[in-house]
PDB file of all heavy atoms in Angstrom:
ATOM      1  N   ALA A1294      74.908  -4.602  50.228  1.00  0.00           N
ATOM      2  CA  ALA A1294      76.097  -3.826  50.186  1.00  0.00           C
ATOM      3  C   ALA A1294      76.382  -3.383  48.756  1.00  0.00           C
ATOM      4  O   ALA A1294      76.850  -2.254  48.497  1.00  0.00           O
ATOM      5  CB  ALA A1294      77.296  -4.604  50.798  1.00  0.00           C
ATOM      6  N   ARG A1295      76.116  -4.222  47.809  1.00  0.00           N
ATOM      7  CA  ARG A1295      76.316  -3.868  46.406  1.00  0.00           C
ATOM      8  C   ARG A1295      75.396  -2.728  45.977  1.00  0.00           C
ATOM      9  O   ARG A1295      75.791  -1.788  45.226  1.00  0.00           O
ATOM     10  CB  ARG A1295      76.206  -5.052  45.439  1.00  0.00           C
ATOM     11  CG  ARG A1295      77.320  -5.986  45.424  1.00  0.00           C
ATOM     12  CD  ARG A1295      77.230  -7.014  44.346  1.00  0.00           C
ATOM     13  NE  ARG A1295      76.340  -8.143  44.714  1.00  0.00           N
ATOM     14  CZ  ARG A1295      76.685  -9.196  45.341  1.00  0.00           C
ATOM     15  NH1 ARG A1295      77.959  -9.323  45.718  1.00  0.00           N
ATOM     16  NH2 ARG A1295      75.815 -10.157  45.697  1.00  0.00           N
ATOM     17  N   GLU A1296      74.189  -2.745  46.472  1.00  0.00           N
ATOM     18  CA  GLU A1296      73.209  -1.734  46.163  1.00  0.00           C
ATOM     19  C   GLU A1296      73.664  -0.368  46.809  1.00  0.00           C
ATOM     20  O   GLU A1296      73.581   0.675  46.146  1.00  0.00           O
ATOM     21  CB  GLU A1296      71.867  -2.092  46.655  1.00  0.00           C
ATOM     22  CG  GLU A1296      70.782  -1.112  46.245  1.00  0.00           C
ATOM     23  CD  GLU A1296      69.382  -1.697  46.303  1.00  0.00           C
ATOM     24  OE1 GLU A1296      69.205  -2.880  45.967  1.00  0.00           O
ATOM     25  OE2 GLU A1296      68.472  -0.966  46.751  1.00  0.00           O
ATOM     26  N   VAL A1297      74.190  -0.425  48.032  1.00  0.00           N
ATOM     27  CA  VAL A1297      74.679   0.774  48.714  1.00  0.00           C
ATOM     28  C   VAL A1297      75.848   1.370  47.901  1.00  0.00           C
ATOM     29  O   VAL A1297      75.868   2.529  47.660  1.00  0.00           O
ATOM     30  CB  VAL A1297      75.163   0.423  50.130  1.00  0.00           C
ATOM     31  CG1 VAL A1297      75.912   1.629  50.721  1.00  0.00           C
ATOM     32  CG2 VAL A1297      73.945   0.091  51.005  1.00  0.00           C
ATOM     33  N   SER A1298      76.743   0.476  47.407  1.00  0.00           N
ATOM     34  CA  SER A1298      77.924   0.896  46.624  1.00  0.00           C
ATOM     35  C   SER A1298      77.494   1.636  45.385  1.00  0.00           C
ATOM     36  O   SER A1298      77.987   2.676  44.982  1.00  0.00           O
ATOM     37  CB  SER A1298      78.838  -0.248  46.342  1.00  0.00           C
ATOM     38  OG  SER A1298      79.926   0.127  45.550  1.00  0.00           O
ATOM     39  N   THR A1299      76.463   1.082  44.696  1.00  0.00           N
ATOM     40  CA  THR A1299      75.949   1.626  43.473  1.00  0.00           C
ATOM     41  C   THR A1299      75.397   3.039  43.692  1.00  0.00           C
ATOM     42  O   THR A1299      75.611   3.962  42.951  1.00  0.00           O
ATOM     43  CB  THR A1299      74.896   0.700  42.781  1.00  0.00           C
ATOM     44  OG1 THR A1299      75.484  -0.525  42.547  1.00  0.00           O
ATOM     45  CG2 THR A1299      74.334   1.250  41.566  1.00  0.00           C
ATOM     46  N   ILE A1300      74.547   3.145  44.787  1.00  0.00           N
ATOM     47  CA  ILE A1300      73.907   4.425  45.048  1.00  0.00           C
ATOM     48  C   ILE A1300      74.908   5.488  45.474  1.00  0.00           C
ATOM     49  O   ILE A1300      74.805   6.612  45.064  1.00  0.00           O
ATOM     50  CB  ILE A1300      72.803   4.212  46.152  1.00  0.00           C
ATOM     51  CG1 ILE A1300      71.651   3.444  45.607  1.00  0.00           C
ATOM     52  CG2 ILE A1300      72.330   5.601  46.736  1.00  0.00           C
ATOM     53  CD1 ILE A1300      70.619   3.145  46.609  1.00  0.00           C
ATOM     54  N   LEU A1301      75.919   5.110  46.242  1.00  0.00           N
ATOM     55  CA  LEU A1301      76.954   6.083  46.589  1.00  0.00           C
ATOM     56  C   LEU A1301      77.712   6.569  45.366  1.00  0.00           C
ATOM     57  O   LEU A1301      77.985   7.820  45.300  1.00  0.00           O
ATOM     58  CB  LEU A1301      77.933   5.396  47.587  1.00  0.00           C
ATOM     59  CG  LEU A1301      77.467   5.076  49.037  1.00  0.00           C
ATOM     60  CD1 LEU A1301      78.569   4.413  49.818  1.00  0.00           C
ATOM     61  CD2 LEU A1301      76.956   6.326  49.717  1.00  0.00           C
ATOM     62  N   SER A1302      77.924   5.710  44.492  1.00  0.00           N
ATOM     63  CA  SER A1302      78.653   6.096  43.225  1.00  0.00           C
ATOM     64  C   SER A1302      77.769   6.980  42.366  1.00  0.00           C
ATOM     65  O   SER A1302      78.202   8.035  41.914  1.00  0.00           O
ATOM     66  CB  SER A1302      79.051   4.842  42.456  1.00  0.00           C
ATOM     67  OG  SER A1302      79.689   5.208  41.240  1.00  0.00           O
ATOM     68  N   TYR A1303      76.555   6.546  42.177  1.00  0.00           N
ATOM     69  CA  TYR A1303      75.613   7.272  41.282  1.00  0.00           C
ATOM     70  C   TYR A1303      75.320   8.678  41.798  1.00  0.00           C
ATOM     71  O   TYR A1303      75.246   9.611  41.061  1.00  0.00           O
ATOM     72  CB  TYR A1303      74.352   6.455  41.167  1.00  0.00           C
ATOM     73  CG  TYR A1303      73.282   7.133  40.272  1.00  0.00           C
ATOM     74  CD1 TYR A1303      73.434   7.105  38.887  1.00  0.00           C
ATOM     75  CD2 TYR A1303      72.178   7.782  40.812  1.00  0.00           C
ATOM     76  CE1 TYR A1303      72.534   7.719  38.048  1.00  0.00           C
ATOM     77  CE2 TYR A1303      71.251   8.332  39.963  1.00  0.00           C
ATOM     78  CZ  TYR A1303      71.403   8.359  38.595  1.00  0.00           C
ATOM     79  OH  TYR A1303      70.477   8.978  37.824  1.00  0.00           O
ATOM     80  N   GLN A1304      75.139   8.786  43.121  1.00  0.00           N
ATOM     81  CA  GLN A1304      74.756  10.098  43.746  1.00  0.00           C
ATOM     82  C   GLN A1304      76.018  10.840  44.204  1.00  0.00           C
ATOM     83  O   GLN A1304      75.933  11.851  44.869  1.00  0.00           O
ATOM     84  CB  GLN A1304      73.829   9.907  44.863  1.00  0.00           C
ATOM     85  CG  GLN A1304      72.483   9.268  44.465  1.00  0.00           C
ATOM     86  CD  GLN A1304      71.401   9.463  45.421  1.00  0.00           C
ATOM     87  OE1 GLN A1304      71.472  10.261  46.372  1.00  0.00           O
ATOM     88  NE2 GLN A1304      70.325   8.699  45.239  1.00  0.00           N
ATOM     89  N   GLN A1305      77.210  10.290  43.891  1.00  0.00           N
ATOM     90  CA  GLN A1305      78.450  10.914  44.247  1.00  0.00           C
ATOM     91  C   GLN A1305      78.578  11.241  45.733  1.00  0.00           C
ATOM     92  O   GLN A1305      78.951  12.289  46.207  1.00  0.00           O
ATOM     93  CB  GLN A1305      78.678  12.238  43.445  1.00  0.00           C
ATOM     94  CG  GLN A1305      78.786  11.977  41.918  1.00  0.00           C
ATOM     95  CD  GLN A1305      79.102  13.209  41.117  1.00  0.00           C
ATOM     96  OE1 GLN A1305      78.894  14.338  41.526  1.00  0.00           O
ATOM     97  NE2 GLN A1305      79.724  12.989  39.911  1.00  0.00           N
ATOM     98  N   LEU A1306      78.200  10.257  46.522  1.00  0.00           N
ATOM     99  CA  LEU A1306      78.218  10.371  47.997  1.00  0.00           C
ATOM    100  C   LEU A1306      79.364   9.650  48.638  1.00  0.00           C
ATOM    101  O   LEU A1306      79.540   9.721  49.869  1.00  0.00           O
ATOM    102  CB  LEU A1306      76.907   9.860  48.573  1.00  0.00           C
ATOM    103  CG  LEU A1306      75.634  10.568  48.195  1.00  0.00           C
ATOM    104  CD1 LEU A1306      74.410   9.811  48.738  1.00  0.00           C
ATOM    105  CD2 LEU A1306      75.622  11.982  48.764  1.00  0.00           C
ATOM    106  N   GLY A1307      80.188   8.907  47.842  1.00  0.00           N
ATOM    107  CA  GLY A1307      81.252   8.116  48.437  1.00  0.00           C
ATOM    108  C   GLY A1307      82.391   8.977  48.985  1.00  0.00           C
ATOM    109  O   GLY A1307      82.624  10.071  48.558  1.00  0.00           O
ATOM    110  N   TYR A1308      83.088   8.371  49.920  1.00  0.00           N
ATOM    111  CA  TYR A1308      84.266   9.003  50.544  1.00  0.00           C
ATOM    112  C   TYR A1308      85.381   8.975  49.480  1.00  0.00           C
ATOM    113  O   TYR A1308      85.745   7.924  49.016  1.00  0.00           O
ATOM    114  CB  TYR A1308      84.655   8.298  51.831  1.00  0.00           C
ATOM    115  CG  TYR A1308      85.902   8.929  52.431  1.00  0.00           C
ATOM    116  CD1 TYR A1308      85.780  10.186  53.062  1.00  0.00           C
ATOM    117  CD2 TYR A1308      87.099   8.281  52.411  1.00  0.00           C
ATOM    118  CE1 TYR A1308      86.940  10.759  53.676  1.00  0.00           C
ATOM    119  CE2 TYR A1308      88.249   8.855  53.014  1.00  0.00           C
ATOM    120  CZ  TYR A1308      88.133  10.101  53.638  1.00  0.00           C
ATOM    121  OH  TYR A1308      89.268  10.622  54.229  1.00  0.00           O
ATOM    122  N   LYS A1309      85.993  10.094  49.185  1.00  0.00           N
ATOM    123  CA  LYS A1309      87.008  10.213  48.158  1.00  0.00           C
ATOM    124  C   LYS A1309      88.427  10.084  48.628  1.00  0.00           C
ATOM    125  O   LYS A1309      89.376   9.892  47.839  1.00  0.00           O
ATOM    126  CB  LYS A1309      86.842  11.525  47.400  1.00  0.00           C
ATOM    127  CG  LYS A1309      85.508  11.770  46.742  1.00  0.00           C
ATOM    128  CD  LYS A1309      85.269  10.782  45.600  1.00  0.00           C
ATOM    129  CE  LYS A1309      84.094  11.209  44.728  1.00  0.00           C
ATOM    130  NZ  LYS A1309      82.804  11.009  45.424  1.00  0.00           N
ATOM    131  N   GLY A1310      88.688  10.171  49.938  1.00  0.00           N
ATOM    132  CA  GLY A1310      90.006  10.164  50.440  1.00  0.00           C
ATOM    133  C   GLY A1310      90.551   8.727  50.678  1.00  0.00           C
ATOM    134  O   GLY A1310      90.011   7.740  50.182  1.00  0.00           O
ATOM    135  N   ASP A1311      91.579   8.666  51.482  1.00  0.00           N
ATOM    136  CA  ASP A1311      92.179   7.387  51.823  1.00  0.00           C
ATOM    137  C   ASP A1311      92.276   7.270  53.363  1.00  0.00           C
ATOM    138  O   ASP A1311      92.847   8.113  53.976  1.00  0.00           O
ATOM    139  CB  ASP A1311      93.599   7.241  51.193  1.00  0.00           C
ATOM    140  CG  ASP A1311      94.149   5.850  51.307  1.00  0.00           C
ATOM    141  OD1 ASP A1311      93.344   4.949  51.576  1.00  0.00           O
ATOM    142  OD2 ASP A1311      95.350   5.701  51.230  1.00  0.00           O
ATOM    143  N   ARG A1312      91.666   6.236  53.947  1.00  0.00           N
ATOM    144  CA  ARG A1312      91.655   6.128  55.406  1.00  0.00           C
ATOM    145  C   ARG A1312      91.267   4.735  55.793  1.00  0.00           C
ATOM    146  O   ARG A1312      90.774   3.925  55.034  1.00  0.00           O
ATOM    147  CB  ARG A1312      90.657   7.159  55.991  1.00  0.00           C
ATOM    148  CG  ARG A1312      89.233   6.806  55.611  1.00  0.00           C
ATOM    149  CD  ARG A1312      88.227   7.660  56.360  1.00  0.00           C
ATOM    150  NE  ARG A1312      86.822   7.417  55.856  1.00  0.00           N
ATOM    151  CZ  ARG A1312      85.780   8.137  56.241  1.00  0.00           C
ATOM    152  NH1 ARG A1312      85.917   9.181  57.087  1.00  0.00           N
ATOM    153  NH2 ARG A1312      84.595   7.807  55.822  1.00  0.00           N
ATOM    154  N   PHE A1313      91.495   4.476  57.092  1.00  0.00           N
ATOM    155  CA  PHE A1313      90.939   3.305  57.763  1.00  0.00           C
ATOM    156  C   PHE A1313      89.910   3.815  58.748  1.00  0.00           C
ATOM    157  O   PHE A1313      90.264   4.321  59.789  1.00  0.00           O
ATOM    158  CB  PHE A1313      92.033   2.519  58.524  1.00  0.00           C
ATOM    159  CG  PHE A1313      93.071   1.900  57.566  1.00  0.00           C
ATOM    160  CD1 PHE A1313      94.329   2.498  57.398  1.00  0.00           C
ATOM    161  CD2 PHE A1313      92.804   0.711  56.905  1.00  0.00           C
ATOM    162  CE1 PHE A1313      95.296   1.981  56.541  1.00  0.00           C
ATOM    163  CE2 PHE A1313      93.756   0.171  56.028  1.00  0.00           C
ATOM    164  CZ  PHE A1313      94.978   0.792  55.872  1.00  0.00           C
ATOM    165  N   PRO A1314      88.641   3.731  58.382  1.00  0.00           N
ATOM    166  CA  PRO A1314      87.646   4.391  59.171  1.00  0.00           C
ATOM    167  C   PRO A1314      87.474   3.729  60.616  1.00  0.00           C
ATOM    168  O   PRO A1314      87.734   2.542  60.793  1.00  0.00           O
ATOM    169  CB  PRO A1314      86.358   4.228  58.397  1.00  0.00           C
ATOM    170  CG  PRO A1314      86.666   3.024  57.546  1.00  0.00           C
ATOM    171  CD  PRO A1314      88.083   3.071  57.261  1.00  0.00           C
ATOM    172  N   THR A1315      86.989   4.525  61.511  1.00  0.00           N
ATOM    173  CA  THR A1315      86.652   4.040  62.872  1.00  0.00           C
ATOM    174  C   THR A1315      85.159   3.916  62.935  1.00  0.00           C
ATOM    175  O   THR A1315      84.395   4.895  62.830  1.00  0.00           O
ATOM    176  CB  THR A1315      87.121   4.986  63.964  1.00  0.00           C
ATOM    177  OG1 THR A1315      88.548   5.102  63.890  1.00  0.00           O
ATOM    178  CG2 THR A1315      86.699   4.516  65.353  1.00  0.00           C
ATOM    179  N   HIS A1316      84.601   2.691  63.024  1.00  0.00           N
ATOM    180  CA  HIS A1316      83.204   2.431  63.036  1.00  0.00           C
ATOM    181  C   HIS A1316      82.657   2.565  64.470  1.00  0.00           C
ATOM    182  O   HIS A1316      83.369   2.380  65.431  1.00  0.00           O
ATOM    183  CB  HIS A1316      82.911   1.036  62.466  1.00  0.00           C
ATOM    184  CG  HIS A1316      83.503   0.804  61.157  1.00  0.00           C
ATOM    185  ND1 HIS A1316      83.117   1.553  60.050  1.00  0.00           N
ATOM    186  CD2 HIS A1316      84.442  -0.103  60.719  1.00  0.00           C
ATOM    187  CE1 HIS A1316      83.824   1.083  58.969  1.00  0.00           C
ATOM    188  NE2 HIS A1316      84.586   0.093  59.386  1.00  0.00           N
TER     189      HIS A1316
END
Side-chain angles (χ1 to χ4, degrees):
R1295 281 190 283 273
E1296 186 161 321
V1297 170
S1298 179
T1299 299
I1300 289 175
L1301 290 180
S1302 176
Y1303 180 74
Q1304 299 196 14
Q1305 298 186 336
L1306 295 174
Y1308 179 73
K1309 299 294 193 292
D1311 191 17
R1312 66 175 175 184
F1313 295 101
T1315 299
H1316 306 298

